[in-house]
Amino acid sequence: MVTSIQAADQYSAAGKCDRAHTKVRDTRFLLTQLPNSVDDSLRQNIADGLARLDSLITSECQRPAQTQTQSTPTETLTTQTQTQTDTTTTDTNTTPTDTTPTDTTLTTTTPTTTTPTTTTGTGTGTTTGTGGTPPGAGAGNQG
């Protein structure tokens, strides 16, 4: 029954309204085939649901509209534009300016020497570690 109801829904969504209605009819037939042990109120609820589904298919299922496309030729209009340019000539008088010579000073860089230094230890022999987990009690050499 569930499969038939799902198929009716899919047909309706795809615009196949007649097939959707057929699936609802098929489900109604399956409802009549349920054993007598199925409660009467459950049968009635299923029948009401199928009636509602059939009604929704009638009101909401729409076959895909077939559309026809027409092409309209497009006309191209070409416009020509003429441009007139006026030329203006300007005379410019340039007066030379005096320049002052500059002196260049050379500088010399003298490299320095570095003497390495030697560090002498204090002889304590202490090394600092980064931490870590200390060994547990009695975790030394056993042997």
Side-chain angles (χ1 to χ4, degrees):
M1 288 180 68
V2 172
T3 304
S4 291
I5 292 170
Q6 288 172 340
D9 181 49
Q10 290 171 352
Y11 283 136
S12 178
K16 298 177 181 179
C17 307
D18 292 336
R19 286 187 177 181
H21 285 296
T22 299
K23 282 298 176 182
V24 171
R25 266 195 316 274
D26 292 348
T27 308
R28 283 186 176 138
F29 174 75
L30 292 173
L31 179 61
T32 65
Q33 302 302 308
L34 289 177
N36 291 335
S37 61
V38 175
D39 186 57
D40 287 338
S41 65
L42 177 59
R43 286 175 191 265
Q44 187 59 50
N45 287 339
I46 293 172
D48 292 344
L50 290 173
R52 175 77 177 130
L53 178 60
D54 205 28
S55 174
L56 286 172
I57 291 170
T58 299
S59 65
E60 294 180 7
C61 182
Q62 297 176 1
R63 290 182 181 87
Q66 292 186 2
T67 58
Q68 195 171 21
T69 306
Q70 289 183 329
S71 298
T72 305
T74 305
E75 207 173 297
T76 304
L77 179 63
T78 305
T79 306
Q80 292 181 351
T81 306
Q82 288 184 340
T83 306
Q84 183 177 359
T85 306
D86 293 334
T87 306
T88 306
T89 306
T90 305
D91 289 335
T92 306
N93 291 328
T94 307
T95 305
T97 59
D98 290 334
T99 57
T100 305
T102 56
D103 291 330
T104 304
T105 304
L106 295 175
T107 58
T108 305
T109 304
T110 304
T112 59
T113 56
T114 304
T115 305
T117 59
T118 306
T119 304
T120 58
T122 60
T124 59
T126 303
T127 304
T128 304
T130 58
T133 306
N141 256 349
Q142 296 180 8

